[in-house]
């Protein structure tokens, strides 16, 4: 490992609490370098693969901006993305730009403006098959992951970089300490997870924002399918590449993502949770508990598998970056996080509360742990009279699958399409903190059946409007600036505010399954009408307080038409209530409840969202 850190101005440090106000937060590394004169260059790193079949090893473009005049080597903040030319990054969809000689000018997002003057290099990597990189996208597979991992290797002197996409001369990173922090939202954060799961030396920290942890769970859910596939995403991000033919690789994606919800080799190759034990880097994770794109099971199961220093922010938003819902505190936290893990500054950022959770729009609380330290997995059972409690019931209840209906209809007017079970008005607050598991014993009337379930807070509240166009935020016209600007790359961004909404109920967790996968996620089995099958499936990870006077409800139905595809033969499904129960991680448990220690997050079962993964 290379040593030697850039000499920075002497400053004061103290412990950072995630909920602390920006004005009260301690200062970090100072902006002592001139951003306008920063060195901007591109290095093409050989990843040792020929994804586009042109007979040459693929090289990926790493666009670099680093301090000019640094007397010592500097650490690196890296964002590896497929979106730098096709779709853009951030709330303002920024793209990379270049001058007439091909030198990078515009670096999307604020990381370069803020951190380069403070003695960091920022490296933005085009994933293979995108923008100026050779190769083809493989949507979370080995080529995607190696696009960034090999750049980490190059920064540590272990692989070769070149001055051109083909030919050229070898280039070394003699300016780099080798310490790398990866950051990114959505697909970008997903690649950070994937690279961390390789255990690559030199990667000191990752900051995954609304990121995938297993690509199966992006496209499928415990046997059910969301109706879209990775080949479509590959074609989108390859649309503005340098003209390479990626049809063969896209065919591999099409064939590997089978039409049913079986978990096969393609998904196993893209399942980072199974390799979470390899992670050496610290993790600063953020996710919206109402993210219906990269669903919250992703953060829960990833968090559960990590055995490193880690912190988490959970907002009420959908698929939104913390820069756009808690900007000042987020920049403060990133500043101290990178100072500590990339420069070795003893500023205490790793101490204090592990979690920060948004309870109402712009109202945050710190929590010692996630899931909550005193949460216990509580077995609640549906009763024949529509109750949800700890007593074992008897009898059966049925619903008729109607794929034309979705979750909101289930809550407000389920009719025969879904079954609702409620605790009734609570006498004290109850916190749901972690990942719920639902076990059903179900008898289908046809040879195919889907199962869906919701946990619902029945009661009025003011929440972020996560279903709106901004997914919980409103973007204004005024701007504020974060760092230094230069010609073609300014540091100023539109200010976003909370988009509140009054509601009468809040869906706090969802889950979906194909009953045909009751015995195995790897191979569905034919169902015999009239035969009972038992299956356990997961509801998405969350942290939510159901207030006193509200009710906690469990709704069980067939095809939730808001999300999953229906079965070939929708029919009637009958539940055996004595053998149907939910294990819900709760704080505030009735004394008679059956409990055991709650798992530390979304315990991974190799098993999600919309097609737009930005």
């Amino acid at each position: 490992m290379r040593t030697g850190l850039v000499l920075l101005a002497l400053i004061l440090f103290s412990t950072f609490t995630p909920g602390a106000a920006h004005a009260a937060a301690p200062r970090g590394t100072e902006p002592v370098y001139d951003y306008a004169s920063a060195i901007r260059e591109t290095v093409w790193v050989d990843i040792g693969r020929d994804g586009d079949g042109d007979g040459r090893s693929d090289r990926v473009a790493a666009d670099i901006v680093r301090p000019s005049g640094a007397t010592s080597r500097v650490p690196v903040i890296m964002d590896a993305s497929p979106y730098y030319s096709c779709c853009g990054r951030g709330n303002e969809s920024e793209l990379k730009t270049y001058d007439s000689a091909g030198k990078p000018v515009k670096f999307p997002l604020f990381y370069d403006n803020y951190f380069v003057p403070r003695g960091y290099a920022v490296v933005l990597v085009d994933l293979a098959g995108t923008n100026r990189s050779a190769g083809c996208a493989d949507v979370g597979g080995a080529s995607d992951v190696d696009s960034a991992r090999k750049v980490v290797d190059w920064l540590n002197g272990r692989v070769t970089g070149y001055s051109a996409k083909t030919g050229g001369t070898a280039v070394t990173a003699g300016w780099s300490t080798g310490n790398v922090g990866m950051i990114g939202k959505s697909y970008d954060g997903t690649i950070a997870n994937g690279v961390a799961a390789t255990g690559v030396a030199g990667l000191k920290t990752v900051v995954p924002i609304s990121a995938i942890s297993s690509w199966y769970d992006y496209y499928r859910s415990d046997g059910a399918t969301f109706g879209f596939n990775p080949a479509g995403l590959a074609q989108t991000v390859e649309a503005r590449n340098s003209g390479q033919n990626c049809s063969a690789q896209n065919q591999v994606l099409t064939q590997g993502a089978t039409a049913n919800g079986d978990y096969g080799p393609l998904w196993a190759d893209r399942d980072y949770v199974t390799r979470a034990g390899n992670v050496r880097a610290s993790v600063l994770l953020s996710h919206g508990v109402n993210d219906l794109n990269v669903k919250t099971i992703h953060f829960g199961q990833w968090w559960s598998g990590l055995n490193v220093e880690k912190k988490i922010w959970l907002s009420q938003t959908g698929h939104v970056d913390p820069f756009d819902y808690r900007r000042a505190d987020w920049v403060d936290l990133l500043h101290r996080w990178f100072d500590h893990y990339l420069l070795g500054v003893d500023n205490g950022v790793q101490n204090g509360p592990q979690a920060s959770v948004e309870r109402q729009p712009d109202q945050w609380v710190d929590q010692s742990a996630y899931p909550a330290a005193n949460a216990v997995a509580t077995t609640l059972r549906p009763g024949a009279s529509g109750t949800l409690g700890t007593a074992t019931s008897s009898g059966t209840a049925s619903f008729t699958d109607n794929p034309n209906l979705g979750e909101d209809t289930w809550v407000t007017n389920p009719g025969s399409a879904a079954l609702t079970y409620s605790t009734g008005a609570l006498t004290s607050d109850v916190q749901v903190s972690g990942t719920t598991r639902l076990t059903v014993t179900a008898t289908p009337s046809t040879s195919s059946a889907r199962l869906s379930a919701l946990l619902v807070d029945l009661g009025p509240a003011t929440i972020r409007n996560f279903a709106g166009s901004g997914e919980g935020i409103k973007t204004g016209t005024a701007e504020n600036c974060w760092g230094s600007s230069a010609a073609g790359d300014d540091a100023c961004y539109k200010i976003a505010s909370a988009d509140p909404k009054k509601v009468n109920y809040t869906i706090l967790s969802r889950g979906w399954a194909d009953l045909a996968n009751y015995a195995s996620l790897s191979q569905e089995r034919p169902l015999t009408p009239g035969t009972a099958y038992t299956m356990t499936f997961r509801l998405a990870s969350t942290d939510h307080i159901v207030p006193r006077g509200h009710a906690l409800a469990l709704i069980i139905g067939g095809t939730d038409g808001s999300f999953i595809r229906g079965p070939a033969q929708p029919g009637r499904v009958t539940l055996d209530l004595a053998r149907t129960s939910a294990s819900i991680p709760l704080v505030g448990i009735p004394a008679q409840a059956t409990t055991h220690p709650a798992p530390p997050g979304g315990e991974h079962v190799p098993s999600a969202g919309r097609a737009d993964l930005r």
Side-chain angles (χ1 to χ4, degrees):
M1 178 66 65
R2 291 177 177 141
T3 59
L5 301 175
V6 64
L7 297 177
L8 299 167
L10 182 62
I11 53 177
L12 297 175
F13 299 93
S14 62
T15 301
F16 173 71
T17 302
H22 175 63
R27 296 162 61 194
T29 47
E30 295 284 3
V32 296
Y33 294 102
D34 177 45
Y35 177 72
S37 63
I39 298 168
R40 296 167 181 263
E41 59 191 339
T42 303
V43 174
W44 278 266
V45 176
D46 192 325
I47 66 170
R49 297 179 179 276
D50 183 12
D52 52 18
D54 66 355
R56 296 190 297 265
S57 184
D58 298 333
R59 297 179 184 178
V60 297
D63 291 323
I64 302 163
V65 55
R66 55 188 175 90
S68 176
T71 57
S72 298
R73 294 171 176 173
V74 300
V76 169
I77 296 168
M78 180 192 298
D79 188 337
S81 177
Y83 292 136
Y84 287 130
S85 65
C86 83
C87 310
R89 306 311 300 128
N91 193 31
E92 299 177 36
S93 300
E94 292 186 312
L95 302 171
K96 286 181 176 178
T97 65
Y98 305 88
D99 66 16
S100 59
K103 186 169 73 173
V105 174
K106 175 65 177 177
F107 284 69
L109 306 176
F110 74 98
Y111 307 135
D112 56 315
N113 309 92
Y114 188 84
F115 285 103
V116 170
R118 287 169 166 81
Y120 292 83
V122 170
V123 177
L124 304 186
V125 181
D126 297 328
L127 296 188
T130 71
N131 200 19
R132 300 201 296 174
S133 288
C136 292
D138 63 358
V139 188
S143 180
D144 271 13
V145 172
D146 273 355
S147 294
R149 183 175 71 90
K150 292 294 187 180
V151 176
V152 176
D153 284 336
W154 173 71
L155 291 164
N156 283 273
R158 296 190 293 264
V159 301
T160 304
Y162 294 90
S163 61
K165 186 174 180 178
T166 59
T169 57
V171 179
T172 61
W175 47 266
S176 167
T177 65
N179 292 344
V180 180
M182 290 189 67
I183 189 171
K185 178 193 168 194
S186 199
Y187 201 140
D188 306 16
T190 302
I191 298 305
N193 285 343
V195 175
T198 70
V200 61
L203 184 63
K204 300 299 183 182
T205 193
V206 293
V207 185
I209 301 166
S210 304
I212 292 169
S213 57
S214 167
W215 285 87
Y216 176 89
D217 291 305
Y218 186 71
Y219 290 101
R220 309 286 188 264
S221 176
D222 289 304
T225 175
F226 294 115
F228 54 96
N229 291 295
L233 180 55
Q235 291 164 8
T236 297
V237 300
E238 292 161 349
R240 292 182 176 87
N241 66 17
S242 300
Q244 56 264 47
N245 184 351
C246 292
S247 57
Q249 174 60 33
N250 292 340
Q251 185 62 25
V252 170
L253 294 174
T254 299
Q255 293 173 347
T258 56
N260 62 16
D262 286 356
Y263 179 92
L266 179 133
W267 304 122
D269 289 344
R270 291 157 175 79
D271 187 345
Y272 312 136
V273 181
T274 59
R275 301 187 286 277
N278 296 333
V279 176
R280 306 182 204 176
S282 65
V283 177
L284 174 60
L285 187 156
S286 70
H287 215 107
V289 295
N290 294 305
D291 193 337
L292 302 182
N293 182 343
V294 178
K295 297 176 178 62
T296 60
I297 193 65
H298 290 279
F299 85 74
Q301 62 191 10
W302 183 240
W303 183 264
S304 176
L306 296 171
N307 187 29
V308 295
E309 291 182 346
K310 57 186 179 179
K311 286 184 182 287
I312 188 169
W313 276 18
L314 297 175
S315 72
Q316 279 198 352
T317 66
H319 198 60
V320 180
D321 193 304
F323 187 73
D324 295 310
Y325 60 72
R326 200 182 180 191
R327 182 169 295 182
D329 284 347
W330 179 244
V331 176
D332 261 347
L333 178 55
L334 280 184
H335 188 174
R336 285 158 181 77
W337 193 265
F338 287 139
D339 278 358
H340 179 71
Y341 287 105
L342 299 183
L343 285 169
V345 175
D346 185 14
N347 57 13
V349 71
Q350 76 279 17
N351 301 323
Q354 188 181 67
S356 192
V357 184
E358 187 179 28
R359 294 293 178 215
Q360 296 181 46
D362 289 328
Q363 295 183 23
W364 290 79
V365 298
D366 289 341
Q367 192 166 282
S368 64
Y370 177 79
N374 50 347
V376 291
T378 306
T379 301
L380 297 184
R381 304 175 186 277
S385 60
T387 59
L388 182 65
T390 58
T392 300
S393 186
S394 60
T396 62
S398 300
F399 57 83
T400 300
D401 192 0
N402 184 349
N404 294 318
L405 301 182
E407 57 178 26
D408 290 307
T409 301
W410 285 12
V411 177
T412 58
N413 186 27
S416 62
L419 301 167
T420 300
Y421 301 94
S422 170
T423 61
L426 297 168
T427 58
S428 60
D429 293 354
V430 170
Q431 181 180 358
V432 182
S433 183
T435 304
T436 293
R437 285 166 179 77
L438 178 66
T439 298
V440 299
T441 298
T443 301
S445 66
T446 66
S447 60
S448 56
R450 302 289 185 269
L451 298 168
S452 303
L454 312 172
L455 282 181
V456 187
D457 175 345
L458 296 176
T462 299
I463 65 171
R464 284 185 183 261
N465 183 21
F466 64 87
S469 59
E471 299 195 51
I473 64 169
K474 294 182 292 187
T475 303
T477 57
E479 295 183 332
N480 55 19
C481 304
W482 299 87
S484 303
S485 297
D489 194 334
D490 72 83
C492 304
Y493 292 86
K494 293 177 181 177
I495 299 170
S497 60
D499 179 15
K501 180 181 181 181
K502 292 185 181 297
V503 296
N504 294 318
Y505 63 87
T506 304
I507 299 172
L508 56 110
S509 187
R510 304 160 174 84
W512 311 270
D514 184 343
L515 188 59
N517 290 96
Y518 69 94
S520 169
L521 287 179
S522 299
Q523 185 174 8
E524 64 180 15
R525 300 185 182 186
L527 300 177
T528 301
T531 299
Y533 300 93
T534 298
M535 183 177 189
T536 297
F537 61 99
R538 305 158 300 160
L539 275 63
S541 310
T542 193
D543 197 295
H544 178 92
I545 292 178
V546 184
R548 177 172 63 91
H550 289 203
L552 175 63
L554 171 66
I555 301 179
I556 304 173
T559 302
D560 179 352
S562 305
F563 294 95
I564 64 171
R565 294 293 179 90
Q569 296 177 296
R572 190 170 178 82
V573 177
T574 301
L575 299 183
D576 180 343
L577 296 181
R579 294 194 288 163
T580 295
S581 63
S583 177
I584 308 175
L586 296 179
V587 179
I589 305 163
Q592 70 272 30
T594 301
T595 67
H596 53 275
E603 185 175 315
H604 184 54
V605 181
S607 23
R610 299 183 307 231
D612 181 358
L613 185 54
R614 287 179 282 169

